[in-house]
Amino acid sequence: MGRVFLVDLDGRAYRCKFCESALALVDHVLSRSFNCNHGRAYLISNVVNITLGSQEERLMTSGMHTVEDIFCCCCGQYVGWKYVEVSDKNQKYKEGKFVLERWRIIEEATEGFNSDARPVSSDPENP
Ligand SMILES: [Zn+2]
């Protein structure tokens, strides 16, 4: 492939679907059953090779959250968001964690088998 990644990960990684930069380790996934306004998403403890957007308040199904959108730093694609502050104390575990939208990333080991990863509009997390 010949691509030079800013940070590469030692292990199975999720990569940006658009430029294949490594974004997160599969081992760092906390939850695979997250839903967002584009369908399935992953809650992840740490991500790399991203840039953060500006902070904003966002009302989600689980309450008001302060979030920052995250973008692939190589191609600039929106890939998910970071929970900065969560108002509901039952949701505090999300603070400082990241969400990657499933259809915007590819999982290394299953690359080419993600044909079901298309956007759906059910169960919106955003207004
Ligand atoms: Zn990218």
Side-chain angles (χ1 to χ4, degrees):
M1 308 257 284
R3 189 178 174 87
V4 178
F5 300 115
L6 294 178
V7 178
D8 215 345
L9 294 168
D10 185 21
R12 268 174 69 200
Y14 291 117
R15 293 181 181 277
C16 173
K17 188 177 177 179
F18 305 94
C19 72
E20 299 188 357
S21 296
L23 294 174
L25 274 175
V26 173
D27 289 346
H28 288 169
V29 171
L30 303 171
S31 170
R32 291 169 186 273
S33 58
F34 244 60
N35 284 295
C36 67
N37 59 338
H38 295 123
R40 283 282 178 81
Y42 294 146
L43 185 69
I44 295 177
S45 59
N46 193 32
V47 298
V48 297
N49 297 332
I50 54 105
T51 55
L52 288 165
S54 54
Q55 257 183 41
E56 57 180 277
E57 303 261 293
R58 198 170 290 172
L59 185 63
M60 298 184 174
T61 49
S62 48
M64 188 61 85
H65 298 67
T66 304
V67 300
E68 292 169 344
D69 285 336
I70 57 179
F71 303 88
C72 172
C73 73
C74 297
C75 69
Q77 278 288 338
Y78 169 82
V79 291
W81 67 88
K82 177 187 181 181
Y83 288 108
V84 179
E85 200 178 329
V86 179
S87 57
D88 185 340
K89 64 179 189 299
N90 295 321
Q91 306 285 328
K92 283 286 183 189
Y93 69 94
K94 292 178 182 171
E95 282 187 359
K97 304 301 192 299
F98 301 85
V99 173
L100 292 177
E101 292 190 4
R102 189 181 185 282
W103 74 277
R104 294 178 185 273
I105 58 176
I106 48 176
E107 185 176 336
E108 212 153 52
T110 58
E111 194 173 338
F113 296 94
N114 263 352
S115 57
D116 64 330
R118 62 177 179 271
V120 292
S121 58
S122 60
D123 196 16
E125 177 91 29
N126 294 318

